[in-house]
Amino acid sequence: MVVPTNLRTGGRLHSLFASATRGWVNRVLPDESDGSPVARLFVSRALTRSERNLGNRAVIEQLARAAGFEIVHPETLSPQDQIALFRGARQVVGEYGSGLHGTIFGSGSLHCCALRGTSHWLGFIQSSLAGAFGQSVSYVFGHAEAHAVTYDFEVEPENFRLALRCLELELLSH
């Protein structure tokens, strides 16, 4: 199998990105029925070192768990298990970063909600991924210093509750 290179430049994706990804994913785990029964995932970065740290992670994860999200740490899973996990997801919420980018294994009806700081270095690759795979995406921002590359941020619990309510309504409408 040939995999094209340079499929990403900054926050933009080449038009071949989705088909190239689907091609290698189907070689790694070809059975589409192997999706996880977990429909709502919260991707935690608690076990990783990050340049962007959610300072009130425990509070946010507790709210997510109470809303029916399963807390997951993709970096602890094999590639096959990550693919299966995201294939079954309808909604994925979590701290912005590579773990959240596992949405590339999800369906076109998946909705992703990313939590991140407000520094000028936003890097909206998640939006490009959503566009490439026909998914929807939203963001909940917490304050970070404007010029920070490495930072801690906190998402206001009330803002997160509102996002969770919107996601719940989205589930009910389908």
Side-chain angles (χ1 to χ4, degrees), residues 93-164:
V93 176
E95 299 173 63
Y96 187 90
S98 58
L100 199 61
H101 301 335
T103 56
I104 65 174
F105 308 130
S107 72
S109 62
L110 183 144
H111 182 94
C112 176
C113 179
L115 311 177
R116 60 171 313 139
T118 56
S119 83
H120 78 284
W121 184 256
L122 292 176
F124 284 109
I125 189 70
Q126 194 66 49
S127 294
S128 292
L129 292 172
F133 291 91
Q135 301 166 350
S136 58
V137 65
S138 58
Y139 294 86
V140 179
F141 292 96
H143 175 74
E145 295 301 319
H147 298 289
V149 175
T150 301
Y151 56 85
D152 290 342
F153 69 101
E154 291 192 2
V155 169
E156 290 294 329
E158 202 50 46
N159 292 343
F160 188 61
R161 282 186 190 95
L162 179 59
L164 291 174

Coordinates of all heavy atoms in Angstrom, one line a residue, residues 93-164:
V93 N -15.7 14.1 23.5 CA -15.3 15.4 24.1 C -14.0 15.2 24.8 O -13.6 14.1 25.2 CB -16.4 15.7 25.2 CG1 -16.0 17.0 26.0 CG2 -17.8 15.9 24.6
G94 N -13.2 16.2 24.8 CA -11.9 16.1 25.5 C -11.0 17.2 25.3 O -11.2 18.1 24.6
E95 N -9.8 17.1 26.0 CA -8.8 18.0 25.9 C -8.2 18.0 24.5 O -7.9 16.9 23.9 CB -7.7 17.8 26.9 CG -8.2 17.9 28.3 CD -7.2 17.4 29.3 OE1 -6.1 18.0 29.4 OE2 -7.5 16.4 30.0
Y96 N -8.0 19.1 23.9 CA -7.5 19.2 22.5 C -6.1 18.6 22.4 O -5.3 18.8 23.3 CB -7.4 20.7 22.1 CG -7.0 20.9 20.7 CD1 -8.0 21.0 19.7 CD2 -5.7 21.0 20.3 CE1 -7.7 21.2 18.4 CE2 -5.4 21.1 19.0 CZ -6.4 21.2 18.0 OH -6.1 21.4 16.7
G97 N -5.9 17.8 21.4 CA -4.6 17.2 21.2 C -4.8 15.9 20.4 O -5.8 15.5 19.9
S98 N -3.6 15.2 20.3 CA -3.6 14.0 19.5 C -4.6 12.9 19.9 O -5.1 12.2 19.1 CB -2.2 13.4 19.5 OG -1.8 13.1 20.8
G99 N -4.9 12.7 21.2 CA -5.8 11.8 21.6 C -7.2 12.0 21.1 O -7.9 11.1 20.6
L100 N -7.6 13.3 21.0 CA -8.9 13.7 20.5 C -8.9 13.5 19.0 O -10.0 13.3 18.4 CB -9.1 15.2 20.8 CG -10.6 15.7 20.7 CD1 -11.5 14.9 21.7 CD2 -10.6 17.1 21.0
H101 N -7.8 13.5 18.3 CA -7.7 13.4 16.9 C -8.1 11.9 16.5 O -8.2 11.7 15.3 CB -6.4 13.8 16.3 CG -6.0 15.2 16.6 ND1 -6.9 16.2 16.8 CD2 -4.8 15.8 16.7 CE1 -6.3 17.3 17.1 NE2 -5.0 17.1 17.0
G102 N -8.3 11.1 17.4 CA -8.7 9.7 17.1 C -10.1 9.7 16.5 O -10.6 8.7 16.0
T103 N -10.7 10.9 16.4 CA -12.0 11.0 15.7 C -11.9 10.6 14.3 O -12.9 10.3 13.6 CB -12.6 12.4 15.9 OG1 -11.7 13.3 15.4 CG2 -13.0 12.7 17.3
I104 N -10.7 10.6 13.7 CA -10.5 10.2 12.3 C -11.0 8.7 12.1 O -11.2 8.3 11.0 CB -9.1 10.3 11.8 CG1 -8.1 9.4 12.6 CG2 -8.6 11.8 11.9 CD1 -6.7 9.4 12.0
F105 N -11.1 8.0 13.2 CA -11.6 6.6 13.1 C -13.1 6.5 13.2 O -13.7 5.4 13.1 CB -11.0 5.7 14.2 CG -9.5 5.8 14.2 CD1 -8.8 6.0 15.4 CD2 -8.7 5.6 13.0 CE1 -7.4 6.1 15.4 CE2 -7.4 5.7 13.1 CZ -6.7 6.0 14.3
G106 N -13.8 7.6 13.5 CA -15.2 7.6 13.8 C -16.0 7.8 12.5 O -15.5 8.1 11.4
S107 N -17.3 7.7 12.7 CA -18.3 7.9 11.5 C -18.5 9.4 11.2 O -18.1 10.3 11.9 CB -19.6 7.3 11.9 OG -20.3 8.1 12.8
G108 N -19.2 9.6 10.1 CA -19.5 10.9 9.6 C -20.5 11.6 10.5 O -20.6 12.8 10.5
S109 N -21.2 10.9 11.3 CA -22.2 11.5 12.2 C -21.6 11.8 13.6 O -22.4 12.4 14.4 CB -23.4 10.5 12.4 OG -23.0 9.3 13.0
L110 N -20.4 11.6 13.8 CA -19.7 11.9 15.1 C -19.7 13.4 15.3 O -19.4 14.2 14.4 CB -18.3 11.3 15.1 CG -17.5 11.4 16.3 CD1 -16.6 10.2 16.5 CD2 -16.6 12.6 16.3
H111 N -19.8 13.8 16.6 CA -19.6 15.2 17.0 C -18.5 15.2 18.0 O -18.5 14.5 18.9 CB -20.9 15.8 17.6 CG -20.7 17.3 17.9 ND1 -21.0 18.3 17.1 CD2 -20.1 17.8 19.0 CE1 -20.6 19.4 17.6 NE2 -20.1 19.2 18.8
C112 N -17.6 16.1 17.7 CA -16.4 16.3 18.6 C -16.5 17.7 19.3 O -16.8 18.7 18.6 CB -15.1 16.2 17.8 SG -13.6 16.5 18.8
C113 N -16.2 17.7 20.6 CA -16.2 18.9 21.3 C -14.8 19.0 22.0 O -14.5 18.2 22.9 CB -17.3 19.0 22.4 SG -17.3 20.5 23.4
A114 N -14.0 20.0 21.6 CA -12.7 20.1 22.1 C -12.6 21.2 23.1 O -13.1 22.3 23.0 CB -11.7 20.5 20.9
L115 N -11.8 20.9 24.2 CA -11.6 21.8 25.3 C -10.1 22.4 25.1 O -9.2 21.6 25.0 CB -11.7 21.2 26.6 CG -12.9 20.3 26.8 CD1 -12.9 19.6 28.2 CD2 -14.2 21.1 26.7
R116 N -10.0 23.7 25.1 CA -8.7 24.3 24.9 C -8.6 25.7 25.5 O -9.6 26.3 25.7 CB -8.2 24.2 23.5 CG -9.0 24.9 22.5 CD -8.3 24.8 21.1 NE -7.0 25.2 21.3 CZ -5.9 24.6 20.7 NH1 -6.1 23.7 19.8 NH2 -4.7 25.0 20.9
G117 N -7.3 26.2 25.6 CA -7.1 27.5 26.0 C -7.2 28.5 24.9 O -7.3 28.2 23.7
T118 N -7.2 29.8 25.3 CA -7.4 30.9 24.3 C -6.1 31.5 23.8 O -6.2 32.6 23.3 CB -8.2 32.0 25.0 OG1 -7.6 32.4 26.2 CG2 -9.6 31.5 25.3
S119 N -5.0 30.9 23.9 CA -3.8 31.5 23.4 C -3.9 31.8 21.9 O -4.7 31.1 21.2 CB -2.5 30.7 23.7 OG -2.3 29.7 22.8
H120 N -3.1 32.6 21.3 CA -3.2 32.9 19.9 C -2.7 31.7 19.1 O -3.0 31.6 17.9 CB -2.4 34.2 19.5 CG -0.9 33.9 19.4 ND1 -0.1 33.8 20.6 CD2 -0.1 33.8 18.4 CE1 1.2 33.6 20.2 NE2 1.2 33.6 18.9
W121 N -2.1 30.7 19.7 CA -1.6 29.5 19.0 C -2.7 28.5 19.1 O -2.6 27.5 19.8 CB -0.3 29.1 19.6 CG 0.3 27.9 18.9 CD1 0.3 26.6 19.3 CD2 1.0 27.9 17.6 NE1 0.9 25.8 18.4 CE2 1.3 26.6 17.3 CE3 1.3 28.9 16.7 CZ2 2.0 26.3 16.2 CZ3 2.0 28.6 15.6 CH2 2.3 27.3 15.3
L122 N -3.8 28.7 18.4 CA -5.0 27.8 18.5 C -4.9 26.5 17.8 O -5.3 25.5 18.2 CB -6.3 28.5 18.2 CG -6.6 29.7 19.1 CD1 -7.9 30.4 18.6 CD2 -6.9 29.1 20.5
G123 N -4.3 26.5 16.6 CA -4.2 25.3 15.8 C -5.4 24.5 15.6 O -5.6 23.5 16.3
F124 N -6.3 24.9 14.8 CA -7.6 24.2 14.6 C -7.6 23.0 13.7 O -8.4 22.8 12.9 CB -8.6 25.2 14.1 CG -9.1 26.2 15.1 CD1 -8.7 27.5 15.0 CD2 -9.9 25.8 16.1 CE1 -9.1 28.5 15.9 CE2 -10.4 26.7 17.1 CZ -10.0 28.1 17.0
I125 N -6.6 22.1 13.9 CA -6.5 20.9 13.1 C -7.8 20.0 13.3 O -8.2 19.4 12.4 CB -5.2 20.1 13.4 CG1 -5.1 19.0 12.4 CG2 -5.2 19.6 14.8 CD1 -4.8 19.4 11.0
Q126 N -8.4 20.1 14.5 CA -9.6 19.3 14.8 C -10.7 19.7 13.8 O -11.4 18.9 13.4 CB -10.0 19.4 16.2 CG -11.0 18.4 16.6 CD -10.5 17.0 16.6 OE1 -9.5 16.7 17.2 NE2 -11.2 16.1 16.0
S127 N -10.8 21.0 13.5 CA -11.8 21.5 12.6 C -11.5 20.9 11.2 O -12.4 20.5 10.5 CB -11.8 23.0 12.5 OG -12.3 23.5 13.7
S128 N -10.3 20.9 10.8 CA -9.9 20.3 9.5 C -10.2 18.8 9.4 O -10.7 18.3 8.4 CB -8.4 20.5 9.1 OG -8.2 21.9 8.9
L129 N -9.9 18.1 10.5 CA -10.2 16.7 10.6 C -11.7 16.5 10.5 O -12.2 15.6 9.7 CB -9.7 16.1 11.9 CG -8.2 16.0 12.1 CD1 -7.8 15.6 13.5 CD2 -7.6 15.1 11.0
A130 N -12.5 17.2 11.2 CA -14.0 17.1 11.1 C -14.4 17.4 9.7 O -15.3 16.6 9.2 CB -14.6 18.1 12.1
G131 N -13.9 18.4 9.1 CA -14.3 18.7 7.7 C -14.0 17.5 6.7 O -14.8 17.2 5.9
A132 N -12.8 16.9 6.9 CA -12.3 15.9 6.0 C -13.2 14.6 6.2 O -13.4 13.9 5.2 CB -10.9 15.5 6.3
F133 N -13.7 14.4 7.4 CA -14.4 13.1 7.6 C -15.9 13.4 7.8 O -16.7 12.5 8.2 CB -13.9 12.4 8.9 CG -12.5 11.9 8.7 CD1 -11.4 12.7 8.9 CD2 -12.3 10.6 8.1 CE1 -10.1 12.2 8.7 CE2 -11.0 10.1 7.9 CZ -9.9 10.9 8.1
G134 N -16.4 14.6 7.5 CA -17.8 14.8 7.5 C -18.4 14.9 8.9 O -19.6 14.6 9.0
Q135 N -17.6 15.2 9.8 CA -18.1 15.3 11.2 C -18.3 16.7 11.6 O -18.0 17.7 10.9 CB -17.0 14.7 12.1 CG -16.7 13.2 11.8 CD -15.4 12.7 12.4 OE1 -14.6 13.5 13.0 NE2 -15.2 11.4 12.3
S136 N -19.0 16.9 12.8 CA -19.1 18.3 13.3 C -18.2 18.4 14.5 O -17.8 17.5 15.2 CB -20.6 18.5 13.7 OG -21.0 17.6 14.6
V137 N -17.9 19.7 14.8 CA -17.0 20.0 15.9 C -17.4 21.3 16.6 O -18.0 22.2 15.9 CB -15.5 20.1 15.4 CG1 -15.3 21.3 14.4 CG2 -14.5 20.2 16.5
S138 N -17.2 21.3 17.9 CA -17.4 22.6 18.6 C -16.2 22.7 19.6 O -15.4 21.7 19.8 CB -18.7 22.5 19.4 OG -18.8 21.4 20.2
Y139 N -16.1 23.9 20.2 CA -15.0 24.1 21.2 C -15.6 24.8 22.4 O -16.5 25.6 22.4 CB -14.0 25.1 20.5 CG -13.3 24.5 19.4 CD1 -13.8 24.6 18.1 CD2 -12.0 23.9 19.5 CE1 -13.1 24.0 17.0 CE2 -11.3 23.3 18.5 CZ -11.9 23.4 17.2 OH -11.2 22.8 16.1
V140 N -14.9 24.5 23.6 CA -15.2 25.2 24.8 C -13.8 25.7 25.2 O -12.8 24.9 25.4 CB -15.8 24.3 25.9 CG1 -15.9 25.1 27.2 CG2 -17.1 23.7 25.5
F141 N -13.7 27.0 25.3 CA -12.4 27.7 25.6 C -12.3 28.0 27.1 O -13.2 28.5 27.7 CB -12.2 28.9 24.8 CG -12.0 28.6 23.3 CD1 -13.1 28.7 22.5 CD2 -10.8 28.3 22.8 CE1 -13.0 28.4 21.1 CE2 -10.6 28.0 21.5 CZ -11.7 28.1 20.6
G142 N -11.1 27.9 27.6 CA -10.7 28.4 28.9 C -9.6 29.4 28.7 O -8.8 29.3 27.8
H143 N -9.4 30.3 29.6 CA -8.4 31.4 29.5 C -7.0 30.9 29.5 O -6.7 30.0 30.3 CB -8.6 32.4 30.6 CG -7.5 33.5 30.6 ND1 -7.5 34.5 29.6 CD2 -6.4 33.7 31.3 CE1 -6.5 35.2 29.8 NE2 -5.8 34.8 30.8
A144 N -6.2 31.4 28.6 CA -4.8 31.2 28.6 C -4.1 32.5 28.2 O -4.8 33.3 27.5 CB -4.4 30.1 27.7
E145 N -2.9 32.8 28.6 CA -2.2 34.0 28.1 C -2.1 34.0 26.6 O -1.8 33.0 26.0 CB -0.8 34.0 28.8 CG -0.9 34.2 30.3 CD -1.6 35.4 30.7 OE1 -1.4 36.5 30.1 OE2 -2.4 35.3 31.7
A146 N -2.3 35.2 26.0 CA -2.3 35.3 24.6 C -1.1 34.8 23.9 O -1.3 34.2 22.8 CB -2.5 36.8 24.2
H147 N 0.1 35.0 24.4 CA 1.3 34.5 23.6 C 1.8 33.2 24.1 O 2.9 32.8 23.7 CB 2.3 35.6 23.6 CG 1.8 36.9 23.0 ND1 1.7 37.0 21.6 CD2 1.4 38.1 23.4 CE1 1.2 38.1 21.3 NE2 1.0 38.8 22.4
A148 N 1.1 32.5 25.0 CA 1.6 31.3 25.5 C 1.6 30.1 24.5 O 0.6 30.0 23.8 CB 0.8 30.9 26.8
V149 N 2.6 29.4 24.5 CA 2.6 28.1 23.7 C 2.4 27.0 24.7 O 1.7 26.0 24.4 CB 4.0 28.0 23.0 CG1 4.0 26.6 22.3 CG2 4.2 29.1 22.0
T150 N 3.0 27.0 25.9 CA 2.9 26.1 26.9 C 2.0 26.8 28.0 O 2.4 27.9 28.5 CB 4.2 25.6 27.5 OG1 5.0 25.0 26.5 CG2 4.0 24.6 28.6
Y151 N 0.9 26.2 28.5 CA 0.1 26.8 29.4 C -0.9 25.9 30.1 O -1.1 24.8 29.7 CB -0.7 28.0 28.8 CG -1.6 27.5 27.6 CD1 -2.9 27.0 27.8 CD2 -1.1 27.6 26.3 CE1 -3.6 26.6 26.8 CE2 -1.9 27.2 25.2 CZ -3.2 26.7 25.5 OH -4.0 26.3 24.4
D152 N -1.4 26.3 31.3 CA -2.5 25.7 32.0 C -3.7 26.5 31.7 O -3.6 27.8 31.6 CB -2.2 25.6 33.5 CG -1.1 24.6 33.8 OD1 -0.7 23.8 33.0 OD2 -0.5 24.7 34.9
F153 N -4.8 25.9 31.6 CA -6.1 26.6 31.4 C -7.2 25.9 32.2 O -7.0 24.7 32.5 CB -6.5 26.8 30.0 CG -6.9 25.5 29.3 CD1 -8.2 25.2 29.1 CD2 -5.9 24.6 28.9 CE1 -8.6 24.0 28.5 CE2 -6.3 23.4 28.3 CZ -7.6 23.1 28.1
E154 N -8.2 26.6 32.5 CA -9.4 26.0 33.1 C -10.6 26.3 32.3 O -10.8 27.5 31.9 CB -9.5 26.5 34.6 CG -8.5 26.0 35.5 CD -8.8 26.2 37.0 OE1 -9.8 26.8 37.3 OE2 -7.9 25.9 37.8
V155 N -11.5 25.3 32.1 CA -12.7 25.5 31.5 C -13.8 25.8 32.6 O -13.8 25.1 33.6 CB -13.1 24.3 30.7 CG1 -14.6 24.3 30.2 CG2 -12.2 24.1 29.5
E156 N -14.5 26.9 32.5 CA -15.5 27.2 33.4 C -16.6 26.0 33.5 O -17.1 25.7 32.4 CB -16.2 28.5 33.1 CG -15.4 29.7 33.3 CD -15.0 30.0 34.7 OE1 -15.8 29.6 35.6 OE2 -13.9 30.5 34.9
P157 N -16.8 25.5 34.7 CA -17.8 24.4 34.7 C -19.1 24.7 34.1 O -19.7 23.8 33.5 CB -17.9 24.1 36.2 CG -16.5 24.5 36.8 CD -16.1 25.7 35.9
E158 N -19.6 25.9 34.3 CA -20.9 26.3 33.8 C -20.9 26.3 32.2 O -21.8 25.8 31.6 CB -21.3 27.7 34.3 CG -22.8 27.9 34.2 CD -23.7 26.7 34.8 OE1 -23.4 26.2 35.9 OE2 -24.6 26.3 34.1
N159 N -19.8 26.7 31.6 CA -19.6 26.6 30.2 C -19.6 25.2 29.7 O -20.2 24.8 28.7 CB -18.4 27.3 29.7 CG -18.4 28.8 29.9 OD1 -19.5 29.4 30.1 ND2 -17.3 29.5 29.9
F160 N -18.9 24.3 30.5 CA -18.9 22.9 30.1 C -20.2 22.3 30.2 O -20.7 21.5 29.4 CB -17.8 22.2 30.9 CG -17.6 20.8 30.5 CD1 -17.1 20.5 29.2 CD2 -17.8 19.7 31.3 CE1 -16.9 19.2 28.8 CE2 -17.6 18.4 30.9 CZ -17.1 18.2 29.6
R161 N -21.0 22.6 31.3 CA -22.3 22.1 31.5 C -23.2 22.5 30.3 O -24.0 21.6 29.8 CB -23.0 22.6 32.8 CG -22.5 21.9 34.0 CD -23.3 22.4 35.3 NE -22.7 21.9 36.5 CZ -21.8 22.6 37.2 NH1 -21.4 23.8 36.8 NH2 -21.3 22.1 38.3
L162 N -23.1 23.7 29.8 CA -23.9 24.1 28.7 C -23.5 23.3 27.4 O -24.4 22.9 26.7 CB -23.6 25.6 28.4 CG -24.4 26.2 27.2 CD1 -25.9 26.1 27.4 CD2 -24.0 27.7 27.1
A163 N -22.2 23.1 27.2 CA -21.8 22.3 26.1 C -22.4 20.8 26.2 O -22.8 20.3 25.2 CB -20.3 22.2 26.0
L164 N -22.3 20.3 27.4 CA -22.9 18.9 27.6 C -24.4 18.9 27.3 O -24.9 17.9 26.7 CB -22.6 18.4 29.0 CG -21.1 18.2 29.4 CD1 -21.0 17.8 30.8 CD2 -20.6 17.0 28.5

